[in-house]
Amino acid sequence: MLVLSRKKGESIVIQDQIELTILSIDGETIKVGISAPKHVDIFRKEVYLSIQEANRESVAPQQSDLNALIHRLRGVNKNE
């Protein structure tokens, strides 16, 4: 992990496309402005992790789906 110190009004540039600017500092809270191309998705980490979990759950087979498939396959084997 790269660690940089920045003061209010100072920026960090990532690959010529993304600029992070420190807008304000209030105690332990820092307000960061992000300038990036529209095609770059930007999420707070907790939101990103929630999206990732929802994606994993949506592609994971449900037990009811597995049971229906097993039942269907057993029916096909009986007809042979």
Side-chain angles (χ1 to χ4, degrees):
M1 174 187 302
L2 173 65
V3 178
L4 301 171
S5 296
R6 299 279 72 202
K7 296 177 183 174
K8 182 179 173 184
E10 294 182 333
S11 298
I12 298 167
V13 177
I14 302 170
Q15 292 190 347
D16 297 326
Q17 295 184 15
I18 301 168
E19 182 176 355
L20 307 173
T21 303
I22 306 304
L23 301 177
S24 67
I25 302 168
D26 185 17
E28 293 186 14
T29 302
I30 300 170
K31 190 177 285 188
V32 177
I34 304 169
S35 297
K38 290 186 182 231
H39 70 274
V40 174
D41 293 329
I42 301 171
F43 301 102
R44 294 187 327 264
K45 186 170 183 177
E46 63 274 14
V47 171
Y48 177 78
L49 294 175
S50 177
I51 291 168
Q52 294 300 309
E53 180 61 26
N55 287 342
R56 280 191 293 276
E57 289 175 1
S58 70
V59 297
Q62 299 296 316
Q63 187 61 44
S64 60
D65 294 337
L66 293 175
N67 291 341
L69 179 60
I70 290 168
H71 180 71
R72 187 177 232 176
L73 291 173
R74 286 181 180 158
V76 169
N77 290 336
K78 288 181 182 178
N79 293 332
E80 292 180 354

